[in-house]
Amino acid sequence: MVNTELERMSTALHKMRARVLLDNLFSLRPSRWKSSQVMKEALRDTLDDEATLYVHWPYCARRCTYCNFNKYISKSVEHTRMADCLAKETSTLLQLSGVSRVKSIFFGGGTPSLALPSTVGKVIDTVADHVTFTEGSEVTLEANPTHLAIGKLKDFQHVGVNRLSVGVQALNTEDLKLLGRDHSVTEALRCVEAAKCVFPEHVSVDLMFGRPGQSVEAWRKELHQVIDMDVNHVSLYQLTVERGTQLFKWVDSGHVTVPDNDTMADMYIAAVELLEAHGLERYEVSNFAKQGSESKHNQAYWQGSQYIGVGPGAHGRFIPVTKQQANNGQHGREARIQTLEPDNWMFEVEKFGHATRKIISQSTKVRLEELLCLGLRTREGVTNVNWSKVIDISYLQSFGSSERCQQFVEEGLLRFEQSGVRATSKGLLILDTILPHLLYELGQLCDNEGVT
């Protein structure tokens, strides 16, 4: 799900960029950007030599009413062929990236728990054949909490999975039916308990709020149930009514109604208060963890690190080794999208070794915009260290001296520190309002400095 969320953010980023061009309310002061060749050289190796891997399993048993992800319903999955192709594309893209270390693998979808454990193991073994896993590396599998998945947990653990993300989504029977989920509340609770035995201290629960007819009080009750599960990580997702889904048709026709924005905000605030009161700290807008249990894979996305996307419709961001050599490792990062439809994807992988359908060269400015939008979602914010991996400057605060940014600081929304910039708890609640202004400031600064 994370990989798909990132692409949604990328689309939103382009929309933001169009809006802020109309806003001329900002006053910029002289830039204080400073070059540091030593920092640039030291950080370059760290950036180009390591990556995370996202593997997309495209199949589901059924389509949820709210889902518009790249997934397919098939009763005749070619498991052997799919496994061979996932391994082959993994091998090709790892070699193309030139990385020597992988810090995490995330099997998302779709419903990866429907894959054969041997398929998951084949991908993990392929990675191990080509690169080194970093110390404490994380291998996460998304699972729907069905009886079938529960029976396969030990098999997944045996082939190398060491973290499970359980798609509970709701702890209300009627809501599960409305969302089109294929598990019950009882199965969800049973799956989490089984997962805690197989993956002690490495179980995450996904929960969705803003569901049709949901009240703040009902949401609080569910949160207490999640707290009682005693897991180390919780991811919250606000339900988005996507055009083309069954849920959109129901909402559009008035068959069901979703909570208004104020109620959504109350739900989110209630979640932050309750989860943090029970030791699950918010380390990113939608993610909460006990100390030391933060998702390494997710953090890599938010810090602007390289990631390789494998499987139908997967997305990636990395610098191909050919461009590293041609540009001395400084430029050439690409956003890559794999072919969507599984049959076409397998055909292309078998023929070419990979099925990259679209490649978009990422300018320095675009990478900075992504880092700003993603980094500000986190507890640490955007650090000078991560910023300097993209461009050879040492002061992220250089664009924080504008009148508008100072206003955000005075209003208690942003905090500029020696390490970088971060949103306060208050600022996180209205981050979508703040970001367009910061993107405008960044654009002006890039233009002034000749950064493209």
Side-chain angles (χ1 to χ4, degrees), residues 24-51:
N24 296 307
L25 302 176
F26 312 106
S27 172
L28 287 173
R29 297 178 183 176
S31 171
R32 294 186 285 116
W33 292 27
K34 297 183 179 180
S35 298
S36 172
Q37 186 66 24
V38 174
M39 178 182 290
K40 179 173 64 177
E41 295 293 341
L43 290 171
R44 181 184 299 153
D45 289 341
T46 303
L47 174 67
D48 297 340
D49 196 44
E50 184 176 276

Side-chain angles (χ1 to χ4, degrees), residues 440-452:
Y440 179 85
E441 300 282 13
L442 176 60
Q444 291 292 297
L445 188 61
C446 286
D447 291 343
N448 291 341
E449 297 291 335
V451 175
T452 58

